[in-house]
Amino acid sequence: MNTNNERKSYRIQNLSCSSCAKTYEANLKALPNVVDAEVNHTAAKIYITGDATIAEMEKAGAFDNVKVRDISERKIEKESFWKKKENYPVYVAAVIVLISLILSFNLGEKHILPTIGYLVAIIIGGYSLFITGFKNLIRLKFDMNTLMTIAVIGAALIGEWQEGATVVILFAISEALERYSMDKARQSINILMDVSPSEALIRIDGAEQTMNVTDIRIGDIMIVKPGKKVAMDGIVIKGHSTINQAAITGESVPVAKGINDEVFAGTLNEEGLIEVKVTKLVEDTTISKIIHLVEEAQAERAPSQAFVDKFAKYYTPAIMIIAVLVMLIPPLLLNGSWHDWLYQGLAVLIIGCPCALVVSTPVAIVTAIGNAARQGVLIKGGIHLEEAGHIDTIAFDKTGTLTEGIPVVTDIFPDDNDSLIKAAALENGSQHPLASAIVRKAEEEQLSYQAVTVENFQSITSKGVKGDIEGKTYYIGSPSLFESLGFGGDERIETLQTDGKTVMLFGSDKIELIIAVADGLRPEVTAVLKELKQMKLNTMMLTGDNERTGQAIGRRTGLTLVHANLLPEDKLNIIRETRKQHKIAMIGDGVNDAPALAAADIGIAMGGSGTDTALETADIALMSDDLKKLPYTIRLSKKTLKIIKQNIAFSLIIKLIALLLVIPGWLTLWIAIFSDIGATLIVTLNSMRLIRLKNK
């Protein structure tokens, strides 16, 4: 037998619950040419290693009417809750139960006609339930399907046909609601999948033709007209326009794009016609990576979900033991009625069904991660989502995180254009970021520094540069350079340094210019740090800059703590020390501070238009360089934790209250099933509230 060991992905529909996912996975693994199979229930995907036809995969999931689609299909068919074909037997069974109830009132509960009606409703509405339940009984596997199968058969055996049929209908509705809630929670992925067009206009040999994105290759020239979406990642080679990048960054403010600028699949070209050279295949585009990472993140089990799954593993057999004891002890030891206590025991089986408990966490996690992706925040797993909710301290890198990352000239004394022209001409030969700030300042002032000839240019290590202009040697650099040359200081230097600015001096035999350069703060920084403080979070800055600059930024922004003059290993050590007493997140650009990001409880990267590095290195990536998304992410995480705790507590309390009704013998099948379906519906709706949480 020849078996292909390639791992293939497929999308699926209709898989109702995580328990069904395990059953489906086992069925897939049992297929003759399948080496391995994995079912990702939350992302509605399966991974097959080996060979299997779509018909075989659908047959393996026939118990839940599973439909399999090729991964390349961009659109998943969307049916309303009422139009789903798998719900049709429930509707038929419900109508039969209603007719049987009417007959019961007219002919009496024990009449053969309503009894036959209830039996037919049980068979039609519970067919798939019984198939799974009987298979589980044979394997001694006890899950919610097993509990419900025993309860319904038991109800029929003791003559409670009406309640047995009602249990089947309500359980089927509960399953449909769970399936519907997961579909709603996955909507964020479907929206992301719909963002990028499936076709693009490509120029080949001078002729324009529409091509499917799967056929487009790297190097092809894509033409994007105004009002059309960009279909592939690429570089603009002709034209200028503004691009709405909301699909990638969550920001709706358009970004100007010109020649050599990068554009991303799924973004909207608002104005001009542009030509784009394709740089990535469809499966490697930024939007494809985001979809893949979000799907994987939604599938990753959070700590609370792992706890619930482990709890349910022992909880379900325990419920069965309690039900058996309820059935046997009162009749055998307390002279109770066999009929009444068998009935009570069956009700215990139903109330013990762990539907609400099992669904309490995954719906919340999937909804939260999907919501975050639509807001431009990529959270790479439930474990990171929960961890962010426990954070009490946030450490910020300075350059490119709190600041713009681009130094600008803020002060010049005196205002002398002739000296500035010479300074810019001298700095034009330097590669230092501070030099580029002075050159940009001269360009802003429209000064013709390029016309100045500099001879004997020389770099003075760690201090500055020098060169000859018109036969005279000029210097530009740090105050320490001019001190070493024997030039006197200036009181303005210290004042500027206290304000957090870097001071550079220019002159020949004396100081002719004092130039202050600063890396400007991001405009949103102060408001963001204020909001984090209101959330009772400590904030610290880790920077390699001098103490004065660091403290000046700390005063301006309201940082709790500032650590300056740090090497990369110093940042790492501070993170490690802080972790001993606090839960700490580190936020940086995803490249320079990789060790500190990795050492923190949560590493958060400034994504900057979805760079590959940010997507790969951090636990959480802010897809635009916008710190305003940080408080939103923390709020979302805390809200998710709160909702998960509410769901688990509510599920267990409802079951405990219902079980206590056994003592006086008040528990009925009606109470049991309504409390179970009610709890499932309430925890689902509670989780879906996370969809409404938006970035302020």
Side-chain angles (χ1 to χ4, degrees):
M1 178 179 67
N2 293 322
T3 303
N4 183 3
N5 287 328
E6 182 184 354
R7 193 170 190 252
K8 298 175 184 175
S9 305
Y10 300 88
R11 298 199 178 276
I12 56 172
Q13 288 179 276
N14 301 335
L15 194 62
S16 56
C17 64
S18 54
S19 175
C20 303
K22 292 176 183 175
T23 303
Y24 184 39
E25 186 172 279
N27 291 350
L28 289 172
K29 288 179 179 178
L31 292 175
N33 295 331
V34 171
V35 178
D36 193 20
E38 180 186 341
V39 176
N40 181 336
H41 175 234
T42 50
K45 288 173 74 177
I46 57 174
Y47 305 93
I48 300 292
T49 304
D51 287 319
T53 64
I54 286 179
E56 287 175 326
M57 290 184 278
E58 289 186 344
K59 186 177 180 181
F63 66 92
D64 219 7
N65 195 32
V66 172
K67 298 299 178 187
V68 180
R69 300 286 180 266
D70 190 89
I71 198 72
S72 62
E73 284 191 33
R74 304 292 294 263
K75 304 270 185 185
I76 302 288
E77 60 187 73
K78 297 171 185 175
E79 296 176 311
S80 70
F81 177 78
W82 301 107
K83 291 182 180 179
K84 282 186 173 290
K85 292 178 182 177
E86 61 269 24
N87 293 340
Y88 288 174
V90 183
Y91 306 151
V92 173
V95 171
I96 294 172
V97 167
L98 189 61
I99 294 170
S100 300
L101 280 170
I102 295 170
L103 290 174
S104 294
F105 285 121
N106 294 327
L107 304 175
E109 282 189 26
K110 303 301 180 183
H111 195 279
I112 188 66
L113 280 180
T115 301
I116 291 173
Y118 292 134
L119 174 60
V120 171
I122 287 172
I123 293 171
I124 293 174
Y127 174 76
S128 61
L129 165 68
F130 297 142
I131 294 294
T132 307
F134 282 126
K135 285 181 179 178
N136 289 347
L137 271 174
I138 294 168
R139 299 171 186 162
L140 297 178
K141 178 185 174 184
F142 302 108
D143 63 6
M144 60 187 79
N145 293 296
T146 315
L147 294 182
M148 297 305 290
T149 299
I150 295 171
V152 172
I153 292 172
L157 290 176
I158 62 173
E160 299 292 343
W161 292 98
Q162 179 183 331
E163 295 189 27
T166 308
V167 164
V168 166
I169 302 303
L170 292 178
F171 179 73
I173 292 171
S174 175
E175 288 276 276
L177 285 171
E178 185 178 339
R179 188 161 47 232
Y180 177 71
S181 68
M182 286 304 296
D183 287 342
K184 289 289 286 182
R186 295 186 193 112
Q187 271 189 353
S188 57
I189 291 296
N190 292 332
I191 289 170
L192 285 175
M193 288 172 62
D194 291 343
V195 155
S196 184
S198 58
E199 294 180 329
L201 188 62
I202 300 294
R203 180 182 291 125
I204 299 177
D205 297 328
E208 297 176 5
Q209 64 181 75
T210 301
M211 292 180 62
N212 191 292
V213 290
T214 56
D215 298 324
I216 297 173
R217 293 291 169 257
I218 293 172
D220 285 350
I221 305 302
M222 178 172 60
I223 299 166
V224 187
K225 296 179 180 180
K228 296 291 185 180
K229 285 185 177 180
V230 180
M232 305 286 283
D233 284 11
I235 301 291
V236 177
I237 59 171
K238 186 178 180 181
H240 294 80
S241 186
T242 53
I243 304 289
N244 186 325
Q245 300 188 149
I248 303 293
T249 66
E251 296 294 323
S252 58
V253 178
V255 180
K257 297 285 185 178
I259 292 172
N260 292 328
D261 285 338
E262 192 172 9
V263 293
F264 304 97
T267 57
L268 177 66
N269 180 23
E270 293 197 336
E271 293 179 358
L273 180 121
I274 56 174
E275 293 186 12
V276 177
K277 185 177 181 180
V278 175
T279 56
K280 293 178 182 176
L281 297 174
V282 64
E283 61 267 23
D284 298 323
T285 61
T286 300
I287 193 73
S288 295
K289 286 185 178 180
I290 291 172
I291 291 169
H292 174 72
L293 288 169
V294 171
E295 287 178 333
E296 295 303 309
Q298 290 180 329
E300 183 183 313
R301 298 197 316 169
S304 57
Q305 188 174 345
F307 161 76
V308 167
D309 289 348
K310 190 173 182 180
F311 180 83
K313 181 180 177 182
Y314 298 102
Y315 164 86
T316 307
I319 285 292
M320 293 199 69
I321 292 170
I322 292 171
V324 170
L325 293 176
V326 167
M327 292 176 186
L328 298 179
I329 290 177
L332 291 176
L333 302 180
L334 304 174
N335 204 28
S337 163
W338 278 101
H339 179 278
D340 292 346
W341 287 102
L342 282 172
Y343 181 89
Q344 290 283 304
L346 295 174
V348 168
L349 284 179
I350 293 172
I351 197 62
C353 184
C355 290
L357 191 62
V358 169
V359 83
S360 61
T361 301
V363 173
I365 294 292
V366 170
T367 303
I369 290 176
N371 183 10
R374 291 171 64 183
Q375 298 293 320
V377 179
L378 182 61
I379 302 173
K380 294 168 68 174
I383 186 169
H384 306 307
L385 178 68
E386 285 198 19
E387 197 72 62
H390 295 299
I391 291 298
D392 61 22
T393 304
I394 301 179
F396 293 86
D397 174 40
K398 181 181 82 74
T399 306
T401 303
L402 291 176
T403 65
E404 297 279 8
I406 304 172
V408 293
V409 173
T410 59
D411 305 271
I412 299 179
F413 303 107
D415 187 8
D416 181 356
N417 281 350
D418 288 339
S419 294
L420 181 56
I421 287 172
K422 292 174 184 176
L426 198 55
E427 288 287 42
N428 197 34
S430 173
Q431 300 299 315
H432 197 279
L434 296 179
S436 62
I438 294 173
V439 172
R440 281 196 301 272
K441 180 65 175 177
E443 289 174 346
E444 288 171 12
E445 299 292 332
Q446 297 183 339
L447 303 177
S448 54
Y449 66 92
Q450 297 97 332
V452 176
T453 302
V454 178
E455 297 176 334
N456 301 320
F457 178 85
Q458 185 180 338
S459 177
I460 304 168
T461 306
S462 302
K463 290 186 177 181
V465 297
K466 71 175 183 176
D468 295 341
I469 299 174
E470 297 175 354
K472 192 174 182 179
T473 301
Y474 286 89
Y475 299 85
I476 186 166
S478 65
S480 62
L481 169 62
F482 280 75
E483 286 173 14
S484 67
L485 295 171
F487 300 159
D490 189 302
E491 62 183 19
R492 285 175 294 191
I493 295 173
E494 189 171 340
T495 303
L496 291 167
Q497 288 177 332
T498 304
D499 288 340
K501 298 172 182 177
T502 301
V503 176
M504 300 172 69
L505 305 178
F506 170 78
S508 179
D509 50 9
K510 65 177 182 179
I511 299 172
E512 296 181 22
L513 282 182
I514 299 173
I515 305 170
V517 177
D519 183 3
L521 283 175
R522 292 182 180 276
E524 72 272 16
V525 163
T526 303
V528 166
L529 291 174
K530 183 179 179 181
E531 189 173 351
L532 293 175
K533 193 172 184 179
Q534 290 171 347
M535 295 166 70
K536 296 182 171 54
L537 295 172
N538 299 314
T539 55
M540 67 167 72
M541 181 175 72
L542 308 180
T543 179
D545 270 0
N546 63 69
E547 190 72 30
R548 279 181 177 173
T549 301
Q551 293 300 336
I553 291 176
R555 286 192 300 273
R556 288 168 61 191
T557 58
L559 284 159
T560 310
L561 195 60
V562 172
H563 295 283
N565 293 315
L566 301 179
L567 297 172
E569 56 265 31
D570 298 326
K571 294 182 181 182
L572 180 61
N573 291 332
I574 288 171
I575 293 289
R576 284 174 174 167
E577 283 299 312
T578 307
R579 279 191 71 184
K580 292 177 181 178
Q581 296 181 325
H582 298 275
K583 284 282 187 180
I584 185 168
M586 172 73 188
I587 178 165
D589 59 14
V591 182
N592 299 332
D593 297 299
L597 285 168
D601 293 292
I602 289 288
I604 304 174
M606 299 287 281
S609 299
T611 59
D612 290 343
T613 306
L615 290 174
E616 291 165 8
T617 59
D619 302 317
I620 298 174
L622 310 183
M623 298 306 293
S624 64
D625 287 339
D626 184 2
L627 278 176
K628 293 194 294 289
K629 296 186 186 297
L630 183 58
Y632 156 78
T633 305
I634 302 297
R635 283 199 314 273
L636 177 69
S637 303
K638 290 184 180 294
K639 183 84 170 176
T640 305
L641 272 179
K642 184 178 178 181
I643 281 178
I644 288 171
K645 289 174 182 176
Q646 289 172 351
N647 287 348
I648 293 172
F650 178 77
S651 302
L652 293 176
I653 289 170
I654 284 293
K655 293 186 183 301
L656 180 61
I657 292 172
L659 287 173
L660 290 175
L661 294 178
V662 171
I663 298 171
W666 295 346
L667 183 62
T668 67
L669 292 180
W670 293 98
I671 293 174
I673 192 64
F674 274 115
S675 64
D676 181 64
I677 191 174
T680 302
L681 187 58
I682 287 169
V683 299
T684 298
L685 293 174
N686 193 35
S687 297
M688 300 298 281
R689 288 194 300 134
L690 290 165
I691 290 176
R692 300 205 310 264
L693 188 66
K694 303 296 181 187
N695 189 17
K696 291 181 181 178

